[in-house]
Amino acid sequence: MLTISQLATYAGVTVRAVRHYHKIALLPEPARDRSGYRSYDSAAVVRLIRIRTLTDAGVPLARVQKLLDAAPQEFEDGVHDIDKELRAEIRRLEASRRRLARLAAGEQLALPQSVIDYLDRLRRHGVSERYLEMERDAWIMIAAQVPDLIDTVIAAKHEQLEDPDAQKLYSLVSEAVDNQGDEALLVEIADILERLYIRAAEAGQLGDEPFDDQLVKLLDAVMLESAPEAARLLAIMEKRGWKGWTRIEQVPPPGQRQFGSRTAPAG
Amino acid sequence: MLTISQLATYAGVTVRAVRHYHKIALLPEPARDRSGYRSYDSAAVVRLIRIRTLTDAGVPLARVQKLLDAAPQEFEDGVHDIDKELRAEIRRLEASRRRLARLAAGEQLALPQSVIDYLDRLRRHGVSERYLEMERDAWIMIAAQVPDLIDTVIAAKHEQLEDPDAQKLYSLVSEAVDNQGDEALLVEIADILERLYIRAAEAGQLGDEPFDDQLVKLLDAVMLESAPEAARLLAIMEKRGWKGWTRIEQVPPPGQRQFGSRTAPAG
DNA sequence: CTTGACCTTGACGCAGCGTCAACCCTCCAT
DNA sequence: ATGGAGGGTTGACGCTGCGTCAAGGTCAAG
C-alpha cells in the first residue's frame, strides 16, 4: 500500500496534483488507513500514470476523464486524435521558431512581402531612410485597415514608379522631409505633380484609381498625418486648382469630368 | 488611425487580448478619439505583432514585457534562449508522442522493463494469467515504493528461477491461485519450499537476502495482500518451524544464526 | 519527549484571457 | 427622426491546473 507521496513520486506528479485529481474525481479516492492517510493500490498507480501520459501530451483533464472512462476502441481513437494534435502543435512550434528568427533578425513582421519589396525599390532609388520610415509606417496602417487591397495598391504604385517624373518626385519628397520648411522644394514638387496630373488628365485617367471611398479617405489621412509638409503641399496644389490627393480632381477649369465630392481629407 | 478591432485583427489577436495588454501595461494605452475610442498608430501594430510572435512561442507576458523593453543585445540573447526552449519543447512533445503510442498499444507504462521481462519469463514457464496479474500488481507496488532497488530484486529473482524446484514452485503456486482452497496443493508447495530452505540453510545462505528491513516488510505485506492463500501457506510453514517469507528464519532447531526479529508481516 | 518528515482539509493566488452585462457612438436605411 | 446594426467602452466573474500558505494531526527515530 502506497502513501500519497510514494504514489505521486513514482508516477512523476506532485502530491497536490493527486489531491486535485481526487477533487475532480479523475482518480478515485482510495481507502484510508486508521490514521486517515490515503492508501493506494496498484490500480491507482496504473491510472495515475495513464493520466500523466495524457496530460503531458497537453490533454485537458476533462478530456482525460472521458478518455480513460471510454471503451477501448474510443480510447484508441481518442489517442490517435491527440497524436494528430501533437503533430500539429510541433509544426506550429517550428513555424514559431522561424518567426522568432525573423524577429531577432529585425525583419518587418508587420508588413506583407509586397510592401517590403516596394520599400526596397524606393531605397534603391535613393530615397532617404527618414522618409522610408514614414512610408513604412503609413503602409503598416494601410495594410492593417485594408489587408486584402494592399497588393493591388502596391501593384499600382510600382506602375507609377515607371514614370521618370514619379521617380524624380520621390527623391524630391525625400529631400523635403529631410530639409523641413524648404518652401522652394515644395514648389518644385508641386510643379512635377502638376505635370503628372496634366498628363493623366490628357490620358483621361485622372480620378481613375480603382479604390473605394474608404481607402481614398484612409490614404489621404495617413499621408497628412505622417508629415507636416503634406498639408502645405496640398494647399499649394489647391491654389493651382487641384483638389484631393489619392483621388485628384481639377477644380476651376470647367468641362472636366467630376467624381465623388467627399474627397476632403478627414482631420 | 486604427480602431481596436482593426489592430487586433491585423495582428492576429483578439480585442480582449489587446485590452488585457493595456491593463498590464504591455502595450501602451493609445490616445482616444473624441468619442472615447482608442486610436492606434503603426508603432502599436509593430509592438503588438512582436508581442504575438513571442506569446505564440509560449513566452509568458511578463517575460515578453522585459524582452521588448530590453536593449537590442539582451533582446537577441533572450530570443535565442526562447528558441532553445522551443527546441526542447518540441523534443518533449515528440517523446510524449512515443509514450502515447505505447499507451495506445496497451503497454505497461507503470513498470520498468526489467520487471516486464521477468513477468514474460514467468509466462513462458507456464504461469497462469490470473497469477501473473497478481504478480504484476505486486511489482507495481514494489517499484513505486523502492524504485531504485527494483532491478536488484529482479536480478535475484532471475537467479532463483534457475533452480528447477523454484520453477516447479511457481507452477504450483499458479495452480493454487486458480484452484483456491485446495489444501493439498498448499502442502505440496510447503514441501518444495522446505526443500529450498533447507538447501539454502546448508549453503549458509538463509536470511542472506540483500534487502533492508523496510523492503522485507513491504514484500511480505504485498505478498499477503495479494492472495488469501498466502496466509494459509505461511501458517503451514510456521508449524514446520519456518518463520518469515522474504527473509526466512528457522525457529525451533537451535544453533542457527539469527537475523532481525521484526519480520512479522505488518497488517 | 522531541524532532522532522509525513499526512490532513481549506482557502487564496496565478496567467491569459473568454464571456457576459450594460451602456455609448456612428452610420445607414427608412 | 428614428431605429437597428455593428462598432466601441468599462467592469466583473469564470475557467484550468494546479502552487502555496495555514493550521493542524501522525509516525519513526534518536
Side-chain angles (χ1 to χ4, degrees), chain B residues 199-217:
Chain B
R199 218 175 305 150
E202 280 168 357
Q205 291 174 345
L206 205 61
D208 248 11
E209 29 51 52
F211 311 140
D212 64 1
D213 290 4
Q214 211 204 340
L215 181 55
V216 168
K217 216 163 106 180

Side-chain angles (χ1 to χ4, degrees), chain B:
Chain B
M1 301 294 93
L2 305 179
T3 67
I4 195 169
S5 63
Q6 285 172 326
L7 171 70
T9 304
Y10 187 60
V13 305
T14 64
V15 168
R16 184 63 180 81
V18 174
R19 287 205 265 254
H20 182 62
Y21 299 158
H22 288 325
K23 200 162 295 174
I24 64 174
L26 176 54
L27 190 66
E29 277 274 5
R32 306 299 182 105
D33 68 11
R34 67 197 173 307
S35 54
Y37 291 10
R38 293 177 177 83
S39 178
Y40 296 91
D41 60 8
S42 65
V45 176
V46 169
R47 184 163 176 110
L48 184 53
I49 286 182
R50 289 159 76 89
I51 291 172
R52 189 176 97 99
T53 304
L54 289 167
T55 56
D56 277 0
V59 181
L61 297 185
R63 194 166 164 201
V64 171
Q65 182 93 280
K66 281 186 213 160
L67 268 176
L68 292 189
D69 297 347
Q73 186 54 54
E74 286 175 67
F75 177 78
E76 225 186 299
D77 293 352
V79 169
H80 187 252
D81 288 352
I82 290 163
D83 188 68
K84 229 168 48 187
E85 291 162 27
L86 271 184
R87 285 204 309 268
E89 175 69 3
I90 288 174
R91 277 200 304 278
R92 204 186 64 75
L93 291 184
E94 276 159 357
S96 194
R97 284 192 63 199
R98 287 192 291 275
R99 271 180 77 86
L100 268 189
R102 295 216 276 142
L103 181 62
E107 273 190 56
Q108 275 308 324
L109 297 179
L111 284 171
Q113 193 56 44
S114 62
V115 177
I116 292 175
D117 293 346
Y118 173 71
L119 292 176
D120 279 347
R121 180 169 178 190
L122 288 187
R123 183 176 286 114
R124 284 198 307 274
H125 279 301
V127 168
S128 75
E129 287 301 319
R130 277 263 297 121
Y131 177 68
L132 274 175
E133 270 173 46
M134 287 171 41
E135 275 273 334
R136 188 204 61 187
D137 284 3
W139 285 111
I140 288 174
M141 302 302 286
I142 295 168
Q145 269 181 313
V146 286
D148 351 324
L149 294 177
I150 200 79
D151 284 1
T152 313
V153 179
I154 283 287
K157 280 284 170 184
H158 273 296
E159 213 171 314
Q160 279 181 26
L161 264 189
E162 296 303 312
D163 188 331
D165 260 346
Q167 294 176 18
K168 176 83 179 168
L169 179 65
Y170 269 101
S171 74
L172 287 182
V173 165
S174 171
E175 217 173 306
V177 166
D178 287 348
N179 318 13
Q180 299 196 15
D182 185 336
E183 197 75 10
L185 244 178
L186 289 184
V187 171
E188 203 177 338
I189 291 173
D191 290 345
I192 296 191
L193 266 180
E194 209 166 4
R195 277 218 303 280
L196 285 167
Y197 288 174
I198 288 171
R199 218 175 305 150
E202 280 168 357
Q205 291 174 345
L206 205 61
D208 248 11
E209 29 51 52
F211 311 140
D212 64 1
D213 290 4
Q214 211 204 340
L215 181 55
V216 168
K217 216 163 106 180
L218 168 66
L219 292 175
D220 283 3
V222 160
M223 151 79 181
L224 282 172
E225 286 245 359
S226 61
E229 276 79 10
R232 290 282 311 119
L233 184 57
L234 214 64
I236 294 175
M237 291 305 289
E238 270 193 51
K239 258 188 248 165
R240 300 185 183 190
W242 305 94
K243 206 171 156 214
W245 183 253
T246 307
R247 174 180 295 156
I248 307 296
E249 302 166 38
Q250 212 166 359
V251 177
Q256 292 289 70
R257 279 175 303 162
Q258 286 287 41
F259 292 83
S261 57
R262 293 182 307 292
T263 320

Side-chain angles (χ1 to χ4, degrees), chain A residues 12 97 201 238 264:
Chain A
R97 285 192 62 200
E238 271 194 50

Side-chain angles (χ1 to χ4, degrees), chain A residues 153-171:
Chain A
V153 178
I154 283 288
K157 281 284 170 185
H158 274 295
E159 213 171 315
Q160 279 180 26
L161 264 189
E162 295 304 313
D163 187 330
D165 260 344
Q167 294 176 18
K168 175 85 179 166
L169 178 66
Y170 269 100
S171 71

Side-chain angles (χ1 to χ4, degrees), chain A residues 19 30 33 39 46 68 105 126 139-140 156 189 196 216-218 238:
Chain A
R19 287 205 266 256
D33 68 11
S39 179
V46 169
L68 292 188
W139 284 111
I140 288 175
I189 291 172
L196 285 167
V216 168
K217 216 164 105 183
L218 168 66
E238 271 194 50

